Structures are given as structure tokens and as C-alpha cells.
């Protein structure tokens, strides 16, 4: 999936005068630009605790429990949204964590339901269910304004989350964002192909 969609890294930066603006730049440069908007110094107590990232589980009634790791830090926080069947221990997820540690910002990485250490059956998962996973992380774990970093399919879910939670999402950073990857593949399938029905379910089922 990483090869589908935008190859560049893009951040969406909010501006009071002209609403949302799209800016394309290098990944760390992009996050640095966003996080540099607040230059307050990190308190001594925060420096001491920000390196602790033990694995935890978000309990959800009637939904699979989600495995996550949270780094304490200052606002805005960062949430990494992984790609298709990727988990929270991937190279990008860990690299962003180290980057957030160096700046003292809060950070959350997690596994989708059915993936990694989270509960659930992968065969029963859909994009709609993973969208609910992202919203659960934003609603139940994240504190204050958040910058979402979406990789591949996670970039698509990132945009869905930003639309659903505009009051909490202040900026977006896409890494090889597969905004239309699954839709493109779906449209390319012959109508008589049995896989088309399965794809439609995967794309739209909640």
C-alpha cells in the first residue's frame, strides 16, 4: 500500500486567516515546523518522565481492546496511524517516537483491532472498523490538540478522523499517503468479479 497514492510527505497546517493550507516538505522538517509553533521550554519533571512508554490496552465495550503505547509530553500531541496490517512497532512509528522524545511532545502509537497486540480477528476487520479504532484513540486517550501522522492507508484514516474530530485535530502529516488506493483497486475490479463484493464490504462496513 505504501506505493499507492501520494509519494510525497505533506502536512496540512491550519491558519486563522486562510483556513487550511497544504504544504509539502520533508518528514522531520514538517513535524519540526508544526511543533516549533510553540517554543515554551519543557519542564524538568516532563523531561524525566517522557521516556516511559509501557504497553497498555484501551478497553472498549462491545469492541476489541486496543493495544497502545503512550509517551507523556507537552501539547500538541502526536498520534501515529499505521498502514495496512502494520503495527505500532514499525520503523516509522518508533522513529517518530524518538523524534517526539527529543522535543518533549506527547505521542501515541497503537495497533488496529485484529493487528499486533490488539484484540480482534483480522478477517473480520474493515476500514470502517479501523476508523472507529482511530476515533477511540483520539476520544479516549489523547489529551488536548493533536497532530495526526498517517502512513499509507493510515493517511486515508487520518483524513476521516480529522473530518470527524475537527475540534481536536490541528494538523495532518501524511507519509506515502494512500488516499485513494483501495477505492482505485475496487473500481478496477470487473463487476462480475466476486472479489468486488468483498472489497466493497471491506471499504464501507462499520
Amino acid at each position: 500500500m505504501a506505493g499507492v497514492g501520494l509519494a510525497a510527505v505533506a502536512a496540512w497546517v491550519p491558519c486563522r486567516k486562510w483556513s487550511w493550507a497544504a504544504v509539502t516538505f520533508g518528514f522531520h522538517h514538517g513535524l519540526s515546523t508544526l511543533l516549533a509553533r510553540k517554543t515554551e521550554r519543557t519542564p524538568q519533571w516532563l523531561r524525566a518522565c517522557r521516556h516511559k512508554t509501557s504497553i497498555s490496552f484501551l478497553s472498549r465495550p462491545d469492541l476489541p481492546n486496543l493495544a497502545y503505547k503512550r509517551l507523556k509530553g507537552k501539547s500538541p500531541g502526536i498520534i501515529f496511524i499505521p498502514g495496512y496490517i502494520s503495527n505500532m512497532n514499525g520503523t516509522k512509528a518508533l522513529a517518530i517516537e524518538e523524534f517526539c522524545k527529543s522535543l518533549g511532545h506527547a505521542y501515541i502509537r497503537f495497533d488496529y483491532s485484529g493487528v499486533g497486540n490488539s484484540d480482534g480477528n483480522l478477517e473480520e476487520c474493515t476500514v470502517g472498523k479501523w476508523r472507529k479504532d482511530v476515533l477511540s484513540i483520539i476520544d479516549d486517550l489523547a489529551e488536548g490538540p493533536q497532530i495526526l501522522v498517517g502512513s499509507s492507508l493510515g493517511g486515508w484514516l487520518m483524513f476521516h478522523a480529522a473530518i470527524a474530530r475537527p475540534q481536536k485535530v490541528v494538523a495532518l502529516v501524511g507519509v506515502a499517503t494512500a488516499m485513494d488506493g483501495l477505492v482505485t483497486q475496487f473500481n478496477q475490479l470487473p463487476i462480475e468479479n466476486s472479489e468486488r463484493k468483498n472489497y466493497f464490504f471491506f471499504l464501507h462496513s462499520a
Side-chain angles (χ1 to χ4, degrees):
M1 290 301 297
V4 181
L6 301 179
V9 176
W12 287 74
V13 187
C15 176
R16 293 179 180 176
K17 291 184 179 180
W18 29 270
S19 185
W20 292 85
V23 185
T24 302
F25 34 37
F27 174 63
H28 278 175
H29 181 201
L31 267 183
S32 297
T33 302
L34 293 172
L35 299 180
R37 289 164 117 40
K38 289 191 175 182
T39 57
E40 64 267 19
R41 297 181 62 185
T42 306
Q44 291 292 335
W45 65 267
L46 189 54
R47 296 173 188 170
C49 75
R50 70 187 188 188
H51 294 279
K52 298 178 181 178
T53 53
S54 58
I55 188 169
S56 303
F57 288 88
L58 174 62
S59 179
R60 304 182 298 170
D62 303 322
L63 291 173
N65 296 333
L66 298 180
Y68 71 92
K69 290 194 175 184
R70 177 163 52 184
L71 186 71
K72 294 182 179 180
K74 61 187 178 182
S75 182
I78 317 299
I79 300 176
F80 179 71
I81 306 175
Y84 179 62
I85 314 183
S86 295
N87 61 44
M88 62 178 167
N89 295 317
T91 304
K92 289 187 286 292
L94 297 178
I96 297 171
E97 181 174 85
E98 290 303 312
F99 186 68
C100 289
K101 284 180 183 178
S102 69
L103 297 178
H105 281 267
Y107 177 63
I108 299 173
R109 51 189 170 100
F110 69 98
D111 287 338
Y112 296 121
S113 53
V115 178
N117 291 306
S118 289
D119 294 343
N121 183 353
L122 179 61
E123 294 181 356
E124 299 175 353
C125 291
T126 65
V127 172
K129 291 179 179 179
W130 286 338
R131 174 182 178 275
K132 287 184 178 180
D133 292 349
V134 177
L135 295 180
S136 292
I137 296 295
I138 295 174
D139 294 340
D140 301 331
L141 293 180
E143 299 178 357
Q146 300 294 311
I147 297 174
L148 305 184
V149 180
S151 172
S152 190
L153 177 63
W156 194 12
L157 295 172
M158 168 186 75
F159 275 89
H160 278 280
I163 292 171
R165 299 292 185 271
Q167 73 281 5
K168 203 160 186 179
V169 177
V170 296
L172 307 174
V173 177
V175 184
T177 305
M179 285 300 300
D180 59 354
L182 290 176
V183 175
T184 299
Q185 292 183 37
F186 171 76
N187 290 334
Q188 290 174 347
L189 289 174
I191 296 178
E192 64 275 9
N193 194 322
S194 60
E195 292 184 10
R196 188 177 177 92
K197 181 178 179 180
N198 295 332
Y199 246 103
F200 184 84
F201 175 80
F202 179 67
L203 287 170
H204 300 284
S205 174

